[in-house]
């Protein structure tokens, strides 16, 4: 667990350091729509850019306006402080408006402070819906990214390499699915904070090592006799969360997060990339179709069905619907989820929070405690 | 929401106000003046618009007609579609679907009622929609979520890829009301064959959606007719834009507002043409006489609003500009990106403009797709603000062409997109020599910042920068 936790909580973790020391290149990306396999096939470490550890947003506030999500502001803050100096490149996606404007803000910060901007900087257009012509567009977009990576880094990404990378990442997804079965079990052997660390580590460390660690972990969990019992079982849903501490705050002493629907969490490993046919198109299909984010408009019913299925499978007592302030996509969808899940008999709590140092922990814990109290009373009267 | 607000359909109430206002000029001057005393919360609008002469009268009339169409669409056998200001309504009219434009209705309520749209804004939050979302949709969508407006058949937007909070409002409403939903998606690049193909495919899918949910086939002749009318309207707008370059500008400050509102409500329809003809006639006359459009007759400053306006009750923004001799050189909403627009010709940006081709079905679809993808906001803020043909280039071109003295940004706190880059834009426009003022008000919700504070800060900017 130690290595997972380190990879999940330290920006420039040991494995990244080793990779760089061996002359490896690292390319960061801001959103789960970027196909890791492409970079892996290029011999580049794909790294999901985080906002953890930012203790202020003075640099972020210099470029962004005031009514903007604090996650990209924290990312820019860290970039401005040189915390992402190990990145050789960065990919910006239109995951949401706040995140896509990181493109300009980071570039301008780079103009003002040479060295802040990685030498390879790429705007990756991701459609907002799934259809034959959006897949065609996205396939070309991935080809465009591939060409740019090949051109800038002087590498060749062959179909064979890409197919091998797809197989490796699919193997990781299989392992994470097996891991999820332990996590959601009755009296699970692992808590929610640790589970998030395990999943997130996959976005910040070399894949071969990650797969090796996962195999060990999954095997170990199968043999483990230790069980977590007597806690309220929660599912965590909503805005991007790359902070293990948030889960710790929610779990406290009386709850356990047994499931999630977060892009840094279990949505990251949902579904597989087809191992047949054109690998680029296969990536386009998986990455566009299977990341269930509210940025894909008009798909609420499908996402509600996913949530209900997950809640049922994990036998959750309640759902924590959280959003970062100014995240209207998750915030609004949380309102719909609350209406429909409550109607289906699943207790929900909506939490709006700031990203970054958990200055609101007290308020949040108080509300979570009240929520757990509600769940317990419900159990008693059931 | 107050119980009394639930007593009447909100759109009927609004129609009632505009319908009555459209008849005010039918009385004697004495009757008109006396009537104003009875509508203290609306008189500023009435006076600002009707004082513009025949164009103002026509404008109030088309607002009343539009609202009449909204409330009576179903009884007239039409389908209704909730849509957005940056979506050309011509396709809906061509398919006999009544477009209900949320933002324009929010504007109407904001400047007409003392309470603005506050109850509907807040009702959205009760329904689960975030309070940080844009007030332009939220102001009227709350009424529909509460079941206080015309019956809706479908929801259509074209802002994915451009504005999350806009697209999200429509997606939320579709899920909440369980209505069919369609989105036109915008790739980050405006130009190039790849984007064109994408727009074309997306627009073709839209037509299928509209046919499916309206039960009617697209009538090509009717669409052609609407697009020929759009072309005629664009030519008139181009002439208005050209006239606005004169010093003094012969256009009254409220003209831009009337131009874009007319287009959003009735593009491709004779109602819009008649209003534009009327605006143009008066502007030509002023130009021929060398008269300023400012009511006091003296043009002191020329302003360009790089985003939207402030729709506080009684159109106080326009009154403030006019009272201070500040000429209004338009905003992002009043621009037409037709290939015949003067700024398009002058800055050689034909590639980023649209051309009307009514020859055959492919031409019509292409035209609609290109027109729609170049609507205000859709065109300028879809990609990086400093990319070719995007916000910075458009702003600097127009500010230069109109020889403006300063640039103003106003929006809503819900606008993630522009607030994500407006500081950068302002830095660049300042470097280019244009004093730039960022307003922190909400164009649709005075509770965010009172009009008095907004006005004082605006005037403070002009004074501190020694513009006045």
């Amino acid at each position: 667990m130690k290595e997972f936790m380190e990879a999940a909580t330290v920006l420039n973790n040991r494995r990244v350091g080793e990779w760089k020391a061996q002359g490896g290149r690292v390319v960061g990306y801001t959103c789960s729509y970027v196909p890791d396999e492409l970079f892996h096939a290029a011999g580049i470490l794909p790294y999901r850019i985080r906002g953890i550890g930012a203790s202020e947003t003075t640099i972020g506030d210099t470029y962004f306006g005031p009514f903007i999500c604090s996650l990209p502001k924290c990312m820019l803050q860290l970039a401005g402080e040189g915390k992402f100096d190990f990145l050789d490149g960065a990919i910006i996606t239109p995951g949401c408006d706040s995140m896509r404007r990181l493109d300009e803000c980071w570039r301008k910060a780079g103009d003002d402070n040479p060295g802040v901007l990685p030498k390879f900087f790429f705007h990756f257009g991701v459609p907002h819906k799934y259809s034959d012509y959006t897949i065609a567009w996205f396939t070309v977009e991935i080809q465009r990214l591939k060409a740019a990576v090949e051109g800038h880094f002087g590498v060749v990404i062959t179909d064979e390499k890409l197919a091998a990378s797809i197989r490796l990442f699919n193997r990781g997804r299989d392992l994470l699915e097996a891991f999820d079965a332990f996590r959601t079990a009755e009296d699970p052997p692992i808590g929610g904070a640790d589970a998030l660390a395990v999943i997130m580590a996959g976005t910040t460390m070399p894949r071969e090592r990650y797969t090796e660690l996962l195999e060990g972990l999954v095997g170990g969990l199968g043999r483990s006799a230790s069980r977590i019992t007597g806690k309220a079982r929660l599912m965590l849903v909503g805005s991007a969360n790359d902070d293990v501490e948030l889960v710790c705050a929610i779990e406290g002493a009386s709850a356990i997060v047994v499931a999630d629907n977060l892009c840094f969490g279990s949505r990251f490993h949902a579904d597989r990339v087809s191992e047949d046919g054109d690998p680029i198109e296969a990536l386009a299909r998986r990455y566009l179709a299977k990341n269930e984010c509210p940025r894909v408009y008009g798909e609420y019913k499908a996402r509600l069905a996913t949530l209900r299925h997950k809640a049922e499978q994990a036998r959750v007592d309640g759902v924590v619907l959280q959003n970062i302030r100014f995240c209207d996509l998750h915030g609004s969808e949380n309102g719909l989820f609350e209406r429909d899940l409550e109607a289906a008999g699943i207790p929900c709590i909506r939490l709006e929070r700031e990203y970054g140092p958990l200055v609101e922990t007290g308020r949040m814990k108080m509300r979570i405690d009240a929520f757990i109290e509600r769940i317990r009373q419900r159990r008693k009267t059931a | 929401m107050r119980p009394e607000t639930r007593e009447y359909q909100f759109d009927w109430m609004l129609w009632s106000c505009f319908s009555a206002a459209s008849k005010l000029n039918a009385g004697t001057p004495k009757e008109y003046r006396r009537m104003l005393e009875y509508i203290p919360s609306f008189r500023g609008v009435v006076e600002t618009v009707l004082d513009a002469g025949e164009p103002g009268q026509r404008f109030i009339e088309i607002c009343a007609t539009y609202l009449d169409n909204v409330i009576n669409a179903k009884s007239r056998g039409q389908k209704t579609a909730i849509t957005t200001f940056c979506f050309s309504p011509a396709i809906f009219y061509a398919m006999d679907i009544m477009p209900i434009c949320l933002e324009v209705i929010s504007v109407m309520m904001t400047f007409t009622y003392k309470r603005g749209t506050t109850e509907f804004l807040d009702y959205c939050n009760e329904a689960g929609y975030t309070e940080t979302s844009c007030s332009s949709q939220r102001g009227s969508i709350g009424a529909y979520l509460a079941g206080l407006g015309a019956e809706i058949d479908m929801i259509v937007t074209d802002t994915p890829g451009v504005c999350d909070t806009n697209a999200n409002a429509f997606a939320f409403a579709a899920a909440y009301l369980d209505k069919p939903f369609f989105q036109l998606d915008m790739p980050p690049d405006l130009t190039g064959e790849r984007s064109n193909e994408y727009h074309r495919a997306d627009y073709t899918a839209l037509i299928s959606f509209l046919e499916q949910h309206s039960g009617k086939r697209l009538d090509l002749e009717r669409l052609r007719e609407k697009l020929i009318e759009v072309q005629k309207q664009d030519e008139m707008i181009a002439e208005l834009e050209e006239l606005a370059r004169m010093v003094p500008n012969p256009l009254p400050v409220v003209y831009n507002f009337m131009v874009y509102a007319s287009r959003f409500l009735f593009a491709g329809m004779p109602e819009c043409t008649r209003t534009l003809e009327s605006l143009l006639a008066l502007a030509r006359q002023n130009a021929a006489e060398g008269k300023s459009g400012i009511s006091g007759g003296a043009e002191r400053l020329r302003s360009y609003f790089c985003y939207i306006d402030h729709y506080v009750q009684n159109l106080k923004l326009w009154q403030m500009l006019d009272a201070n001799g500040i000429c209004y050189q338009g905003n992002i909403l009043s621009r037409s990106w037709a290939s015949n627009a003067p700024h398009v010709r002058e800055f050689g940006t034909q590639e980023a403009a649209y051309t009307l081709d009514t020859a055959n079905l492919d031409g019509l679809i292409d035209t609609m797709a290109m027109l729609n993808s170049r609507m205000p906001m859709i065109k300028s803020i879809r990609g990086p603000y400093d990319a070719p043909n995007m916000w910075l280039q458009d702003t600097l071109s127009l500010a230069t062409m109109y020889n403006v003295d300063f640039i103003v940004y106003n929006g809503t706190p819900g606008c993630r997109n522009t607030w994500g880059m407006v500081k950068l834009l302002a830095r660049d426009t300042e470097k280019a020599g244009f004093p730039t003022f960022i307003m922190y008000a909400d164009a649709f919700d005075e509770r965010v910042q009172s009009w008095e504070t907004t006005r004082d800060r605006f005037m403070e900017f002009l004074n501190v920068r020694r513009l006045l």
Side-chain angles (χ1 to χ4, degrees), chain A residues 61 64-65 67 96-97 100-101 104 107 112 128-129 133-134 137 141 297 301 325-326 328 332 350, chain B residues 128-130 132 162 164 168 178 183 185 194 202 381-386 416-417 419 423 427:
Chain A
D61 288 328
F64 280 110
F67 310 113
C96 64
D97 281 347
R100 83 180 161 118
R101 292 301 170 207
E104 290 101 315
R107 277 194 287 115
D112 296 341
H128 290 79
K129 61 181 176 184
Y133 56 90
T134 61
W137 165 279
E141 194 65 6
Y297 303 104
K301 282 182 183 168
R325 185 151 177 84
F326 301 119
D328 299 316
S332 299
R350 283 176 76 187
Chain B
Y129 193 52
T130 49
T132 51
V162 177
D164 275 346
N168 190 46
D178 197 18
Q183 54 159 324
D185 185 29
R194 190 174 162 223
D202 217 11
I381 60 172
R382 65 165 67 185
Y385 86 101
D386 53 351
R416 290 312 141 250
N417 192 338
W419 279 110
K423 285 184 179 176
R427 196 168 75 163

Side-chain angles (χ1 to χ4, degrees), chain B residues 101-343:
Chain B
C101 182
L102 290 185
E103 295 86 355
V104 176
I105 293 176
S106 290
V107 167
M108 287 175 173
M109 279 198 281
T110 306
F111 66 55
T112 302
Y113 297 144
K114 192 171 181 182
R115 63 180 184 276
T117 61
T118 52
E119 287 184 276
F120 299 133
L121 285 167
D122 294 348
Y123 186 78
C124 282
N125 306 143
E126 290 175 38
Y129 193 52
T130 49
E131 63 172 358
T132 51
S133 295
C134 181
S135 48
S136 62
Q137 293 85 37
R138 199 155 46 94
S140 50
I141 213 166
Y144 290 101
L145 298 183
L148 293 175
E151 192 189 333
I152 302 304
D153 293 307
M154 64 194 96
I155 294 175
V156 182
T157 188
D158 63 349
T159 48
V162 177
C163 176
D164 275 346
T165 185
N166 177 304
N168 190 46
F170 291 87
F172 180 89
Y176 191 89
L177 299 170
D178 197 18
K179 300 291 179 189
F181 171 82
F182 189 88
Q183 54 159 324
L184 279 175
D185 185 29
M186 300 293 153
D189 297 318
L190 177 72
T191 57
E193 193 44 39
R194 190 174 162 223
S195 289
N196 290 348
E197 268 179 32
Y198 191 81
H199 288 313
R200 206 172 288 138
D202 217 11
Y203 212 87
T204 305
L206 167 72
I207 291 170
S208 300
F209 172 88
L210 294 178
E211 287 183 337
Q212 183 193 343
H213 294 285
S214 69
K216 290 179 183 170
R217 299 281 296 170
L218 173 62
D219 179 340
L220 288 189
E221 264 322 298
R222 203 165 166 189
L223 180 60
R224 183 175 288 118
E225 194 184 291
K226 303 292 170 219
L227 288 180
I228 289 170
E229 199 68 16
V230 166
Q231 189 162 30
K232 194 169 155 190
Q233 291 164 1
D234 282 346
E235 281 167 10
M236 285 190 279
I237 292 169
E239 189 176 340
L240 283 166
E241 289 178 345
E242 194 68 19
L243 288 171
R245 299 176 69 174
M246 295 176 71
V247 181
N249 179 346
L251 276 57
V253 289
V254 77
Y255 265 38
N256 277 284
F257 171 69
M258 295 201 282
V259 168
Y260 65 74
S262 303
R263 282 174 74 213
F264 297 158
L265 297 178
F266 281 119
M269 299 293 277
E271 289 88 342
C272 176
T273 310
R274 282 198 293 271
T275 306
L276 291 173
E277 280 168 349
S278 182
L279 290 166
L280 197 52
L282 199 63
R284 282 177 185 153
Q285 190 185 328
N286 280 353
E289 293 169 9
K291 270 175 67 179
S292 164
I294 300 285
S295 60
E299 177 179 311
R300 296 173 71 191
L301 288 172
R302 294 164 79 89
S303 64
Y304 177 68
F305 280 59
C306 64
Y307 196 46
I308 63 171
D309 298 319
H310 192 295
Y311 306 102
V312 68
Q313 194 202 358
N314 275 329
L315 294 175
K316 286 176 188 150
L317 171 74
W318 286 266
Q319 294 184 37
M320 178 189 78
L321 295 174
D322 190 58
N324 286 284
I326 301 170
C327 198
Y328 188 108
Q329 297 298 144
N331 65 10
I332 196 173
L333 304 174
S334 57
R335 300 270 75 82
S336 153
W337 302 99
S339 52
N340 63 357
H343 53 89

Side-chain angles (χ1 to χ4, degrees), chain A residues 323-350:
Chain A
N323 72 282
I324 302 173
R325 185 151 177 84
F326 301 119
C327 177
D328 299 316
L329 299 182
H330 281 291
S332 299
E333 189 148 284
N334 284 348
L336 294 168
F337 283 148
E338 183 183 38
R339 177 191 71 169
D340 294 335
L341 293 175
E342 286 278 358
I346 302 170
C348 295
I349 181 172
R350 283 176 76 187

Side-chain angles (χ1 to χ4, degrees), chain A residues 3 11 98 280 300 325 340:
Chain A
E3 194 166 345
L11 283 181
S98 295
I280 299 280
Y300 170 71
R325 185 151 177 84
D340 294 335

